Amino acid sequence: MAVQQQTVLRDAMRRLNMTRDTFANRIGVSRRALDTWLLPDGSPESRTMPEIAGRYVAEILERAPNGEEYTQRVQASIAFEGRSHLLSVDQFSRDSVEALFRVADAMQPIARRQKITRVLEGAVLANLFFEASTRTRVSFGAAFCRLGGSVCDTTGFTFSSMAKGESIYDTSRVISGYADALVVRHPEQGSVAEFARATNIPVINAGDGPGEHPSQALLDLYTIQREFSRIGKIVDGAHIAMVGDLKYGRTVHSLAKLLSLYRGLKFTLVSPRSLEMPDTILEQIARGDHVIEQTSDLRAGLEGADVVYATRIQKERFADESIEGYTPDFQINQALVNSVCGPDTLIMHPLPRDGRPGANDLATDLNHDSRLAIFRQTDNGIPVRMAIFAVLLGVEHQVQHSMRDAAWRSPAYVGPDDAVFHGID
Ligand code: ASP
């Protein structure tokens, strides 16, 4: 089976760093035609790209700076200390992130339940979660299953032998005898690297305390790129406002570092003084040509942002510190968004959002606002995590050829409000 046209086109736009409008212009077709070529197969308005257009795209890419070299050299690779592990976004360059996204694009028909694959048939994933999780645990599990593998789970310390004093080394080594990959969430920063050093099977950091959450940052960046390409923006030069608990929020630590691989961004970091972004992360971002502003004024901080990335206060990481300054003014709701954000500002959140009364988090009154990208983010978690597994286990080149049609019927939209976004793919 040939590489899907959607994958080819998205990869071309990423490599040329073009929005859909600019790319349509470059290849001499209307934006509308390009949109129909990008729609998932099977959607009523999707169209096949004419062969001649495909050849022209390939030619443009070859002539692009480093075109040929790129095609041969940039393989998706994920390595930590020379071995297949995903522990930190520091492992990526811009090229290798984009190569991973090309693999994620190829996974879309499977994530959308149009196709199936069995490339990981027989493989077993151990999901070890020593902290609360819904999305990360279930989506890593679902991603592995959609590649044809099976999943074993353990949750919490209480039901694991760590409650009996077992070390990380022993746990990791033992599980390595049972499984082919390990996804680990643990409350201590650096702990997942310890799991990785005790095994030769791939380990993925699903959150190490306030440290990092690399797969979340990858799916966040993937979401930003896809949404931007549709609305005429590119990541270079974007204005990103990060809001909330920037001190303990591992998702913003990873995302800020990953975004800093791009050029000329403006980061507005909005938090109370007590919850500011750690200096180590600020120093790392500052190595690029980026502007960083810090404020505790939410309204002023959101002004002009292309992306508002809200976070939950990480209460589980507070000892006796008070959350000084985290007032109800920190709630991002419809009234605030309407008054300070633009018509195509993306509103993102790694979730969960605290929906209890009095919580200063992302409000639910935004649920019907198409700028709210939170469920597009969670949906993107599947193709991105499938891509991570495929690359770590070395099957990424087999997926395309192994796809078969799915036999069951699934709804056109998985969420009741998803039709609002019809045609945006
Ligand atoms: N789910 C994300 C994490 O595990 C965000 C959060 O919990 O607030 O870091």
Side-chain angles (χ1 to χ4, degrees):
M1 188 193 285
V3 177
Q4 283 224 323
Q5 68 183 38
Q6 296 87 342
T7 309
V8 172
L9 292 168
R10 284 190 191 282
D11 187 44
M13 288 189 283
R14 250 193 315 260
R15 283 176 49 192
L16 299 167
N17 209 14
M18 287 180 179
T19 65
R20 282 197 201 187
D21 286 318
T22 335
F23 184 66
N25 210 7
R26 177 75 180 81
I27 61 173
V29 301
S30 69
R31 163 69 197 257
R32 177 77 201 124
L34 178 61
D35 283 349
T36 61
W37 300 345
L38 283 163
L39 282 169
D41 290 345
S43 58
E45 291 175 39
S46 112
R47 297 285 175 273
T48 307
M49 170 171 66
E51 229 184 282
I52 185 157
R55 278 205 301 271
Y56 188 42
V57 171
E59 228 174 80
I60 293 175
L61 288 177
E62 251 172 57
R63 276 190 267 120
N66 304 330
E68 246 173 82
E69 201 188 318
Y70 180 99
T71 320
Q72 287 159 13
R73 187 173 49 88
V74 183
Q75 303 286 343
S77 61
I78 305 177
F80 175 81
E81 296 178 357
R83 286 184 299 155
S84 288
H85 298 301
L86 173 56
L87 302 178
S88 160
V89 293
D90 294 340
Q91 294 170 235
F92 287 95
S93 65
R94 180 169 172 164
D95 278 351
S96 65
V97 167
E98 302 205 338
L100 180 75
F101 289 173
R102 186 170 55 222
V103 180
D105 284 343
M107 300 296 183
Q108 285 286 0
I110 307 172
R112 291 171 193 273
R113 299 96 152 136
Q114 293 156 340
K115 300 278 177 192
I116 59 167
T117 179
R118 310 293 305 164
V119 280
L120 286 189
E121 188 164 22
V124 175
L125 168 71
N127 244 344
L128 308 186
F129 278 69
F130 300 103
E131 259 193 350
S133 172
T134 303
R135 261 153 300 280
T136 310
R137 185 169 57 83
V138 177
S139 69
F140 266 121
F144 205 81
C145 291
R146 290 208 186 271
L147 287 166
S150 328
V151 183
C152 302
D153 252 307
T154 168
T155 40
F157 284 102
T158 327
F159 298 108
S160 88
S161 283
M162 285 197 163
K164 301 177 185 168
E166 187 167 62
S167 68
I168 287 181
Y169 183 93
D170 285 5
T171 306
S172 182
R173 171 61 191 86
V174 167
I175 301 292
S176 308
Y178 308 155
D180 303 288
L182 265 172
V183 172
V184 185
R185 172 170 287 185
H186 192 282
E188 269 158 52
Q189 188 161 351
S191 54
V192 184
E194 264 186 73
F195 275 88
R197 290 194 176 101
T199 177
N200 286 331
I201 67 168
V203 173
I204 298 173
N205 180 2
D208 59 332
E212 279 215 41
H213 195 343
S215 65
Q216 177 72 46
L218 289 163
L219 76 89
D220 290 338
L221 175 59
Y222 182 74
T223 304
I224 293 172
Q225 270 202 345
R226 281 179 80 99
E227 303 266 329
F228 270 15
S229 121
R230 172 175 56 82
I231 57 183
K233 297 178 179 179
I234 54 172
V235 179
D236 293 310
H239 178 185
I240 317 283
M242 295 181 164
V243 181
D245 185 350
L246 308 184
K247 180 174 180 184
Y248 295 113
R250 55 194 170 202
T251 66
V252 276
H253 299 166
S254 293
L255 182 59
K257 292 199 286 178
L258 199 58
L259 282 166
S260 70
L261 296 175
Y262 287 75
R263 284 190 304 270
L265 273 80
K266 176 173 174 187
F267 291 91
T268 304
L269 306 175
V270 190
S271 67
R273 292 227 45 153
S274 57
L275 296 178
E276 281 177 356
M277 186 71 94
D279 287 343
T280 47
I281 312 272
L282 292 176
E283 281 155 22
Q284 200 165 329
I285 309 173
R287 281 185 223 138
D289 63 340
H290 308 296
V291 174
I292 307 172
E293 282 176 11
Q294 289 179 281
T295 176
S296 53
D297 181 339
L298 181 63
R299 181 170 281 273
L302 300 196
E303 207 90 47
D306 296 300
V307 176
V308 172
Y309 192 96
T311 61
R312 176 184 68 89
I313 187 141
Q314 308 285 296
K315 287 203 184 87
E316 62 275 35
R317 316 235 177 271
F318 288 77
D320 332 308
E321 301 155 77
S322 66
I323 314 170
E324 215 178 293
Y326 204 67
T327 62
D329 305 344
F330 269 87
Q331 195 190 60
I332 298 179
N333 54 32
Q334 187 78 66
L336 179 71
V337 167
N338 287 350
S339 78
V340 290
C341 296
D344 54 19
T345 304
L346 290 181
I347 315 287
M348 300 177 67
H349 193 298
L351 300 182
R353 53 181 162 166
D354 190 342
R356 289 170 292 197
N360 309 330
D361 207 325
L362 187 61
T364 48
D365 65 356
L366 279 160
N367 280 6
H368 293 95
D369 191 317
S370 61
R371 291 172 286 188
L372 188 75
I374 54 176
F375 300 120
R376 279 142 26 220
Q377 260 176 286
T378 51
D379 286 351
N380 283 333
I382 294 290
V384 169
R385 291 186 166 123
M386 288 175 77
I388 293 169
F389 285 130
V391 172
L392 286 174
L393 291 160
V395 294
E396 74 273 27
H397 299 298
Q398 295 169 41
V399 174
Q400 198 76 45
H401 305 284
S402 69
M403 285 192 209
R404 285 181 290 127
D405 288 342
W408 69 96
R409 190 162 38 124
S410 56
Y413 303 110
V414 290
D417 295 322
D418 292 3
V420 176
F421 309 112
H422 177 64
I424 64 165
D425 266 289

